[in-house]
Amino acid sequence: MLTAITRAFRTPDLRKKLLFTLGIIALFRLGSVLPTPGVHAENVRRCLEQAQAGDAGNIYGMVQLFSGGALLKLSVFALGIMPYITASIILQLLVVVIPRLEALKKEGQAGTSKITQYTRYLTIGLAVLQSTAFVALARSGQLFQGCSEPVLLNDDVFTVVTMVITMTAGTAVIMWLGELITDRGVGNGMSILIFTQVIAVFPSELMNIFRRNAFTFAIVMVVGIFMIAAVVFVEQAQRRIPVQYAKRMVGRRMYGGTSTYIPLKVNQAGIIPVIFASSLLYLPQLVTTLFATQTQQNVVIQWISQHLVTGDTPVYMATFFVLIIFFTYFYVSITFNPPEVADNMKKYGGFIPGIRPGRPTAEYLNYVLTRLTAPGALYLGLISMVPIVALAVAGASQNFPFGGTSILIMVGVGLDTVKQIESQLQQRNYEGFLK
Amino acid sequence: MTIGISIALILSSMLMVLLVLLHKGKGGGLSDMFGGGFSSSFGGSSVVERNLDRLTIITGAVWFICIIALGLILRP
């Protein structure tokens, strides 16, 4: 393992990429701790301590997780890459709904880059909305409930507007940093930035648990290691459907005749369903905070704030679980299209032994995929339920360090990045990290 | 002083957003993001793109300096 790392650093090309990625990450973290001008940093720190002691700051769960604690610090990069994720989700859903976008997606490279461009515009729009919302919350003192100290230095309109614009620009910078990593560094930039933020809150969370109770700490560590192993196991699991290619003679050359396989992963959708579901379940919280100030409470709002805001009610758990399973199937159906794969195979003279090419192949692939996705969806649902159940049973914090989503992100992004480094290493020598 | 730097910050922020949006998105969206296979980047950027990069970096530096300066001035 260590020799592989030294070898990675001895390859000049790869060394440059790795150092570039590390540099961008350092910049990103710097921006995440730098307070936005106009914020009373000292008061914010005091309020944060209060919130952590009273577990009141946890209502922003998912957003806080993705921003690595930057959000409640009201730093320059407070919004993190959440706007980008939300924009991506919205566009993914719109592709299914709007015919024009669907046509663009079918166009291939050019169409996809156009959709990416739309995602970027939408990201800025969402960033403006979210930063306005958060600065407004901070201004009215609702960001930290039960903390009376003023978070902003002075709340005239000019300062507030400056803050909003700065945060929006921060989101744009994050987007750019992510793209730079994708372009010139190692791995996919956006996921590496999420990874960084998830990892960043890790040590302090672990220290919190350790300080509270050393025995719990030991249990958490053991459970966490087991969970990581389990997640790696399932992430790597795949079903290989054999494909035989027919031999063809073109002129005097022989083509084909090879036998390969289509790898169908058990968890084909990756972590996206969890992110979709969490983002959707974040909406009721947003609605209730918006209507919380109204004196006369409506029945629907009351029901929502009773059942859908905190994670320990059965209704919330059930909704979360069902949403994850739905989105797993939804996302797999978007990313893997059996008729298309079958068509492509037929075009190049490939077939699955024992099954006719064309429609029967598509049906067979569909059959296998739907059955394969069932355990995958259940697995995603169960893993992401772990922190919620832990919250209900043991009273642990919602930012439980080995929470399902964080583990899924850590393992997923980690594996992916290591694989990419490995494929770069293998261009020069044969041995990599994974044996 | 404060107002001057604030205005500089607002202007550089807007310029930053504009310049970032002018870049060609290399993100590839969410499908790429978590285990979506390898994104093959076709290397070699054009002169326009390189100049844009340079401009963005300069604007970013100005933006960053403005934030720190304003933060220091506004410190209680």
Side-chain angles (χ1 to χ4, degrees):
Chain A
M1 187 73 196
L2 274 177
T3 54
I5 292 177
T6 50
R7 213 179 301 136
F9 270 96
R10 219 171 281 150
T11 319
D13 190 32
L14 200 53
R15 181 178 54 218
K16 224 162 91 189
K17 284 185 173 175
L18 284 173
L19 288 179
F20 183 81
T21 312
L22 287 178
I24 296 269
I25 288 177
L27 262 183
F28 179 55
R29 280 307 298 167
L30 178 68
S32 301
V33 291
L34 186 72
T36 314
V39 169
H40 198 308
E42 192 63 24
N43 280 357
V44 166
R45 202 174 53 80
R46 226 169 291 147
C47 282
L48 252 181
E49 269 166 20
Q50 268 184 36
Q52 263 167 3
D55 270 357
N58 289 335
I59 48 168
Y60 299 103
M62 196 69 187
V63 188
Q64 179 73 341
L65 173 70
F66 279 164
S67 68
L71 177 71
L72 290 184
K73 275 189 207 134
L74 286 169
S75 61
V76 180
F77 287 169
L79 297 176
I81 69 167
M82 203 59 191
Y84 187 81
I85 293 177
T86 321
S88 309
I89 290 175
I90 291 175
L91 268 162
Q92 287 279 354
L93 293 178
L94 283 186
V95 161
V96 186
V97 181
I98 299 179
R100 206 183 103 71
L101 286 179
E102 204 183 344
L104 267 182
K105 198 188 172 190
K106 285 211 175 109
E107 236 170 59
Q109 193 96 43
T112 320
S113 71
K114 212 163 202 173
I115 292 183
T116 311
Q117 205 53 269
Y118 290 154
T119 315
R120 290 154 56 85
Y121 297 148
L122 191 61
T123 306
I124 298 299
L126 286 175
V128 172
L129 277 180
Q130 286 189 9
S131 55
T132 313
F134 276 113
V135 173
L137 272 181
R139 192 182 174 201
S140 62
Q142 276 181 323
L143 191 60
F144 300 100
Q145 273 145 353
C147 186
S148 53
E149 282 162 282
V151 181
L152 302 191
L153 283 170
N154 53 348
D155 51 1
D156 58 74
V157 178
F158 186 64
T159 317
V160 169
V161 167
T162 316
M163 285 180 68
V164 168
I165 292 181
T166 310
M167 280 186 187
T168 311
T171 311
V173 172
I174 291 174
M175 199 160 73
W176 189 52
L177 292 181
E179 282 161 9
L180 278 181
I181 291 183
T182 310
D183 200 19
R184 281 179 220 165
V186 179
N188 179 285
M190 292 298 170
S191 37
I192 284 192
L193 292 186
I194 294 189
F195 182 75
T196 317
Q197 297 296 50
V198 171
I199 293 280
V201 291
F202 218 75
S204 71
E205 282 291 329
L206 278 182
M207 271 316 286
N208 263 346
I209 291 183
F210 186 69
R211 234 176 287 146
R212 241 178 265 161
N213 192 344
F215 183 64
T216 328
F217 178 74
I219 290 181
V220 164
M221 286 306 277
V222 171
V223 170
I225 287 170
F226 266 108
M227 271 181 69
I228 289 179
V231 170
V232 170
F233 182 71
V234 181
E235 289 294 321
Q236 298 282 60
Q238 58 185 21
R239 164 141 183 197
R240 298 176 169 176
I241 294 180
V243 178
Q244 180 73 41
Y245 279 95
K247 275 187 182 153
R248 290 187 303 158
M249 295 288 283
V250 178
R252 294 183 57 192
R253 301 272 292 275
M254 180 100 89
Y255 287 99
T258 51
S259 64
T260 55
Y261 56 86
I262 307 175
L264 290 181
K265 279 171 79 177
V266 172
N267 178 21
Q268 187 95 351
I271 172 123
I272 296 170
V274 182
I275 295 180
F276 272 38
S278 309
S279 312
L280 258 186
L281 270 180
Y282 172 64
L283 285 181
Q285 293 181 5
L286 210 67
V287 171
T288 45
T289 38
L290 282 181
F291 286 97
T293 44
Q294 270 183 359
T295 42
Q296 163 187 29
Q297 295 250 328
N298 159 343
V299 186
V300 181
I301 301 287
Q302 250 176 19
W303 190 86
I304 287 177
S305 63
Q306 252 172 29
H307 293 283
L308 282 178
V309 172
T310 46
D312 46 6
T313 59
V315 179
Y316 184 94
M317 290 190 200
T319 320
F320 195 43
F321 197 74
V322 170
L323 273 179
I324 285 179
I325 288 180
F326 168 74
F327 277 126
T328 311
Y329 272 96
F330 175 77
Y331 201 74
V332 167
S333 76
I334 286 184
T335 48
F336 190 89
N337 189 1
E340 211 180 286
V341 175
D343 261 9
N344 271 336
M345 267 163 54
K346 198 166 88 176
K347 223 182 276 169
Y348 294 105
F351 59 92
I352 300 170
I355 289 153
R356 307 179 115 228
R359 210 163 60 88
T361 303
E363 273 163 13
Y364 175 72
L365 283 178
N366 198 21
Y367 175 88
V368 173
L369 194 64
T370 6
R371 268 150 195 77
L372 198 61
T373 306
L378 278 180
Y379 143 84
L380 272 183
L382 286 178
I383 288 276
S384 44
M385 291 306 274
V386 166
I388 299 179
V389 171
L391 182 75
V393 174
S397 131
Q398 174 133 39
N399 296 345
F400 183 57
F402 288 106
T405 321
S406 2
I407 285 204
L408 282 173
I409 290 176
M410 270 165 28
V411 173
V413 177
L415 270 179
D416 217 46
T417 312
V418 168
K419 269 184 198 162
Q420 285 207 22
I421 296 176
E422 165 140 312
S423 76
Q424 299 240 358
L425 257 184
Q426 277 179 343
Q427 288 175 358
R428 291 173 186 264
N429 1 36
Y430 285 109
E431 258 176 72
F433 292 105
L434 307 166
K435 281 171 192 147
Chain B
M1 185 66 176
T2 317
I3 289 182
I5 293 182
S6 293
I7 289 174
L9 181 57
I10 290 177
L11 286 181
S12 60
S13 296
M14 282 176 170
L15 195 62
M16 196 71 206
V17 171
L18 193 76
L19 286 174
V20 168
L21 284 184
L22 276 177
H23 276 94
K24 228 170 107 204
K26 296 255 169 58
L30 203 64
S31 47
D32 250 12
M33 222 149 111
F34 303 100
F38 307 115
S39 54
S40 58
S41 58
F42 301 104
S45 45
S46 61
V47 181
V48 183
E49 192 98 322
R50 226 174 327 152
N51 281 335
L52 195 60
D53 273 352
R54 218 166 282 160
L55 212 63
T56 319
I57 289 172
I58 293 171
T59 315
V62 171
W63 180 70
F64 197 68
I65 291 168
C66 280
I67 287 176
I68 289 182
L70 197 59
L72 284 179
I73 289 176
L74 282 179
R75 214 161 51 166

